Amino acid sequence: MFDVFYYRSSLWHHSLRVSLLVDEFSEAVKKNEPALDLEKVKILALVHDDAEMITGDIQLGHKQRMTQRQLKVVEDNEKEAIEKLAAMYPKEIGAYNYRELLYSALNKDSIEAQLVAYADKL
């Protein structure tokens, strides 16, 4: 595990990279998942880590070593950050509710959020 991200110059650049990845394979996924909302997946890719503007980034390797209690604190901090961001920024991004997009990214509760999570790991 490393403290320095040499490949992630900023949250915005990271989100752009994830967006480019989902753009590359979302059409292929849509063939097997016709309900996939292509516009939603593109927007979600751009905002999926917005809570990190407040919480900072915690590497997966660090999370894997955390206790359940520590992970709960991280999740609670992310939820608090989502609420702050939702209050600060416009409610809608295109046809989508910003707050709902952030919670979907956190909970990975839709095919779009799961696709973004997959691209995020790449």
Side-chain angles (χ1 to χ4, degrees), residues 50-119:
D50 278 9
E52 291 180 8
M53 290 187 289
I54 295 173
T55 65
D57 186 24
I58 300 173
Q59 291 182 28
L60 179 60
H62 291 293
K63 286 182 180 177
Q64 290 173 333
R65 294 181 177 192
M66 289 181 173
T67 65
Q68 290 298 337
R69 188 175 182 194
Q70 291 169 319
L71 289 170
K72 176 76 169 115
V73 169
V74 169
E75 182 181 354
D76 290 346
N77 288 341
E78 287 184 48
K79 289 178 180 177
E80 187 177 314
I82 288 170
E83 293 301 327
K84 285 181 183 177
L85 292 167
M88 290 170 36
Y89 293 108
K91 292 184 186 284
E92 306 294 326
I93 299 178
Y96 308 96
N97 180 280
Y98 181 55
R99 181 178 178 272
E100 290 174 9
L101 286 170
L102 296 180
Y103 274 110
S104 185
L106 175 65
N107 298 322
K108 297 167 187 60
D109 59 2
S110 67
I111 186 68
E112 293 83 9
Q114 292 167 16
L115 188 59
V116 169
Y118 175 76

Side-chain angles (χ1 to χ4, degrees), residues 13-49:
H13 285 113
H14 165 71
S15 295
L16 284 175
R17 288 181 187 110
V18 172
S19 177
L20 290 170
L21 284 171
V22 298
D23 198 41
E24 283 296 317
F25 55 74
S26 59
E27 289 286 344
V29 171
K30 186 153 178 79
K31 290 178 184 175
N32 293 317
E33 291 289 339
L36 180 71
D37 183 338
L38 295 175
E39 186 65 21
K40 182 178 179 181
V41 77
K42 289 175 186 179
I43 293 171
L44 193 55
L46 292 172
V47 303
H48 76 281
D49 277 342

